[in-house]
Amino acid sequence: MLIAASLLAQAHLAGTARALDEPAPPTQTVPAPPKPPEAGVPLAAATVMAAPPPSFFSFSDTVVSYRFQGPAAEPGLTVTRPDGTVKGRQEAREVPKNVFNLFHANSWAYGTNLISLDILRSGSQDPAGDQRVFDKGVGATEVYLIYRGVLSPNKIFDTTVFAIPGLVKDIGLSFGADINTKDTTFDSEKRAGTFGLSFAFDVPAGFVNLKVQGYKEFSRNGFAGTAPSEESRLPVIPGFDYAHFRSVEYKMTPEFELTYTIPLAFTGLPLALAGFNTLILPKGRYGLINENQTRAEFVSQTNLVLDIGQLVDNAPNRFEAFVGFQYWHNKFGGDPRHTPNTEEKALIAGVAFHLK
């Protein structure tokens, strides 16, 4: 589950992000020769009828990208290292991931929309599995879909009341959803919703946006379908229906999302610094029998983006390459005192192509 990380992993698309925050320039086209009007239709009327309808969106961009990310951390996933004892020492198992992303963003009269679909393929260190087979011999595949929308009262009511001059140029209503599935024994099936306020800060170039939201998550715990084993040393509750204790509902909790793109014009290159930071406060209990409390979860990704199209062919916002770093503390809200492998420090490298 990549919480808002995948979402905002697309913040590295500097052209897309910038265009969402600024009006798109008019498209330059060569007009076709006028056709003679049909019989009985005035010239002016024929011209209007032949004109294409105005686009609903003032800006729209679709991007496909690939990135390598690793070593990623998967909470609870460990490897045994010899240390002279009978069982050996348990250490975090590092997982490389190949990620394909389809991203779409648009801006319309009253707000913006963003959709991001990640398909993440783990290395064999994070095996695909189910309730009967823990390791099927191939890496797990996760599909993670994110939607974020913003409605601008300033645009809806044609006012500037919802702004702080010199600091915040727009305050909007934000809402969104996260959906995921992953083919492991844990059998993740996350469903989360967000709702709150979005603040677009007034910066000289690029953009900086902050969302302050309520976050509600529903998920599933595949391990909870059976009673604890003797090795786990967890108490077995007499009469407890473990087979139906797979669905998990977390408490509503505050969430904060900061996204940004900052052009680095001083370098003389089409470079930008882009990324996101997401903080989710504790959301309740988790574990085989909800024996652990979640902790505050923080994920941060920073990317250095090079617009290769602009550099090579003076065609900006078409083809980009990026490198970056992702840090994830208490991944999925896991408590490192009870769940191993909850801290991620991953390098990122990839390319992106704008379909427009």
Side-chain angles (χ1 to χ4, degrees):
M1 294 179 285
L2 290 185
I3 311 256
S6 292
L7 139 83
L8 302 167
Q10 291 306 321
H12 67 259
L13 304 173
T16 296
R18 183 167 56 252
L20 273 174
D21 199 51
E22 299 175 356
T27 303
Q28 300 297 321
T29 59
V30 179
K35 296 181 180 180
E38 297 180 5
V41 180
L43 177 60
T47 304
V48 172
M49 292 172 61
S55 174
F56 180 78
F57 299 110
S58 59
F59 165 81
S60 179
D61 192 15
T62 301
V63 186
V64 293
S65 68
Y66 161 80
R67 70 182 185 271
F68 173 82
Q69 187 170 309
E74 292 296 324
L77 194 62
T78 59
V79 60
T80 302
R81 304 291 188 192
D83 64 351
T85 64
V86 176
K87 292 186 176 181
R89 181 178 67 255
Q90 295 297 310
E91 292 183 353
R93 177 176 289 183
E94 299 178 336
V95 180
K97 293 186 178 183
N98 292 285
V99 187
F100 295 90
N101 178 270
L102 177 63
F103 175 86
H104 176 79
N106 61 59
S107 177
W108 61 299
Y110 299 134
T112 61
N113 296 287
L114 179 153
I115 300 174
S116 177
L117 176 65
D118 265 340
I119 301 175
L120 306 98
R121 183 65 183 266
S122 296
S124 58
Q125 299 89 339
D126 179 23
D130 54 32
Q131 291 298 299
R132 294 172 298 176
V133 181
F134 174 77
D135 187 347
K136 293 186 175 181
V138 295
T141 299
E142 179 179 11
V143 177
Y144 200 104
L145 176 68
I146 289 176
Y147 168 76
R148 291 293 186 269
V150 176
L151 288 175
S152 170
N154 278 336
K155 294 180 179 179
I156 294 173
F157 300 109
D158 192 20
T159 181
T160 58
V161 171
F162 300 96
I164 304 174
L167 181 61
V168 177
K169 57 185 176 182
D170 196 15
I171 301 175
L173 299 176
S174 63
F175 47 92
D178 292 31
I179 299 173
N180 105 304
T181 183
K182 187 175 181 180
D183 61 348
T184 60
T185 303
F186 188 80
D187 198 19
S188 169
E189 192 175 88
K190 176 183 175 181
R191 305 292 184 267
T194 61
F195 183 81
L197 295 176
S198 175
F199 301 87
F201 291 101
D202 190 0
V203 293
F207 79 94
V208 179
N209 290 344
L210 172 67
K211 290 183 175 66
V212 180
Q213 306 179 115
Y215 176 88
K216 177 71 173 180
E217 179 181 337
F218 299 85
S219 191
R220 188 164 62 183
N221 182 350
F223 295 139
T226 57
S229 63
E230 293 183 4
E231 290 78 9
S232 69
R233 299 183 180 180
L234 294 173
V236 177
I237 304 174
F240 188 84
D241 190 0
Y242 287 96
H244 294 88
F245 189 64
R246 299 185 54 173
S247 297
V248 180
E249 178 180 353
Y250 293 102
K251 297 178 180 179
M252 176 76 76
T253 190
E255 185 216 35
F256 306 88
E257 296 178 3
L258 179 70
T259 58
Y260 60 88
T261 291
I262 303 173
L264 303 178
F266 65 89
T267 64
L269 296 172
L271 279 173
L273 196 65
F276 67 88
N277 295 274
T278 299
L279 173 65
I280 301 175
L281 297 187
K283 55 190 177 185
R285 304 182 72 87
Y286 77 101
L288 291 181
I289 52 174
N290 279 359
E291 69 274 18
N292 302 320
Q293 287 281 358
T294 54
R295 304 190 71 180
E297 174 183 2
F298 174 73
V299 57
S300 174
Q301 185 182 120
T302 302
N303 293 312
L304 185 63
V305 186
L306 176 64
D307 191 329
I308 295 178
Q310 181 175 344
L311 181 67
V312 175
D313 196 32
N314 197 28
N317 303 327
R318 295 296 291 176
F319 182 69
E320 297 162 334
F322 55 92
V323 293
F325 179 76
Q326 178 166 290
Y327 175 71
W328 205 327
H329 180 66
N330 297 335
K331 192 170 184 177
F332 309 151
D335 186 339
R337 295 173 298 182
H338 304 291
T339 304
N341 207 6
T342 60
E343 184 178 53
E344 179 173 292
K345 299 176 180 178
L347 297 175
I348 296 171
V351 291
F353 182 74
H354 294 249
L355 300 179
K356 295 296 183 181

